[in-house]
């Protein structure tokens, strides 16, 4: 089955590259120093692999899109594996840390992703989720030219959304759609996977936070 991001690799890398470069130091700081293996779930074209490595860890990337991994292999020397995030081809307890960076909008089963992340973590291992804030960023959110943000009643409509009328033409969401995970479902995914949530934060200085961070341990 073709991955949604297949056929968009070059465009996506050019589009998302500047954001990832500006966000790399923050990502490394959120992850903190460490050692051992770190699995980057949904690594895409490899834009965050070097930031993860800078924390002292040995990074392994996994993504469902062969097209995205093709560019990641050009960019980075890290081991890269094509696989579904809900059925990871790794042994239980194989990783000291797992990152899930900007992936909740791209998977149909976020709870399944978190369960698999918890399974492959060592006891005491860290899972860092850093991604879209589901309250203020999603198919239910209309951003207007005057800076206003309108949250529509479709916030409670979880699952895959092919299109929203306010998505800019040609944007990532307009091209591939978006999975929406309401906030309780997102947090409960960590609880149901048996993880202990250590810290929740809303990085960036925007008065309406576009991103959410959850650090949890097995």
């Amino acid at each position: 089955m073709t991955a949604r991001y297949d056929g968009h690799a070059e465009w996506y890398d050019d589009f998302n590259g500047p954001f990832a470069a500006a966000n790399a130091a923050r990502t490394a700081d959120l992850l903190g120093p460490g050692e051992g293996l770190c699995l980057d779930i949904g690594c895409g074209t490899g834009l965050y692999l070097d930031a993860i490595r800078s924390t002292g860890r040995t990074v392994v990337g996994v993504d469902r899109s062969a097209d995205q991994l093709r560019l990641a292999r050009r960019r980075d020397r890290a081991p890269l594996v094509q696989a579904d995030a809900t059925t990871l081809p790794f042994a239980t307890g194989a990783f000291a840390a797992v990152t899930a960076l900007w992936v909740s909008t791209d998977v149909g089963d976020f709870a399944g992703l978190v369960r698999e992340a918890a399974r492959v973590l060592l006891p005491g291992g860290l899972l860092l989720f850093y991604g879209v804030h589901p309250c203020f960023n999603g198919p239910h959110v209309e951003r207007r030219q005057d800076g206003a943000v309108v949250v529509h009643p479709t916030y409670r409509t979880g699952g895959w959304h092919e299109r929203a009328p306010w998505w800019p033409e040609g944007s990532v969401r307009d091209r591939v759609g978006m999975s929406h995970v309401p906030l309780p479902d997102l947090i409960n995914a960590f609880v149901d996977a048996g993880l202990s949530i250590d810290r929740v934060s809303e990085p960036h200085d925007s008065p309406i936070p576009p991103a959410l961070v959850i650090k949890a341990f097995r």
Side-chain angles (χ1 to χ4, degrees):
M1 184 176 181
T2 302
R4 290 186 180 93
Y5 277 78
D6 283 353
H8 300 287
E10 278 82 5
W11 175 87
Y12 176 79
D13 195 65
D14 290 342
F15 175 84
N16 201 44
F19 171 78
N23 205 37
R26 186 193 304 271
T27 301
D29 184 61
L30 288 168
L31 186 56
E35 56 186 19
L37 293 175
C38 178
L39 179 65
D40 185 25
I41 295 179
C43 67
T45 61
L47 291 169
Y48 287 99
L49 296 175
D50 198 50
I52 296 169
R53 186 182 296 110
S54 73
T55 68
R57 296 171 171 89
T58 299
V59 64
V60 177
V62 62
D63 201 279
R64 189 162 176 249
S65 171
D67 197 26
Q68 297 277 301
L69 290 174
R70 173 177 55 83
L71 293 193
R73 290 188 175 99
R74 292 181 186 175
R75 169 172 281 118
D76 201 280
R77 65 183 185 276
L80 301 170
V81 178
Q82 184 184 5
D84 190 307
T86 61
T87 53
L88 294 172
F90 303 108
T92 298
F95 295 92
V98 173
T99 55
L101 308 175
W102 308 98
V103 296
S104 61
T105 54
D106 296 318
V107 296
D109 181 9
F110 181 72
L113 180 153
V114 176
R115 282 195 303 271
E116 274 293 88
R119 180 186 67 79
V120 302
L121 275 173
L122 286 165
L126 167 66
L127 170 59
L128 172 67
F129 168 81
Y130 180 16
V132 162
H133 197 308
C135 296
F136 309 114
N137 199 335
H140 55 289
V141 174
E142 178 184 2
R143 298 183 180 275
R144 297 186 173 174
Q145 291 186 347
D146 63 0
V149 176
V150 179
V151 178
H152 291 268
T154 48
Y155 165 74
R156 293 189 179 276
T157 306
W160 198 261
H161 294 250
E162 292 293 342
R163 190 169 300 280
W166 32 81
W167 286 345
E169 184 176 352
S171 66
V172 174
R173 297 305 158 213
D174 183 57
R175 288 169 181 255
V176 302
M178 181 179 192
S179 182
H180 173 53
V181 186
L183 183 62
D185 295 341
L186 191 145
I187 292 176
N188 286 334
F190 291 79
V191 176
D192 293 343
L195 294 167
S196 176
I197 295 176
D198 178 69
R199 181 71 58 181
V200 178
S201 62
E202 297 170 322
H204 306 279
D205 298 326
S206 170
I208 300 176
L212 183 71
V213 171
I214 299 175
K215 296 182 74 169
F217 291 89
R218 181 182 174 198

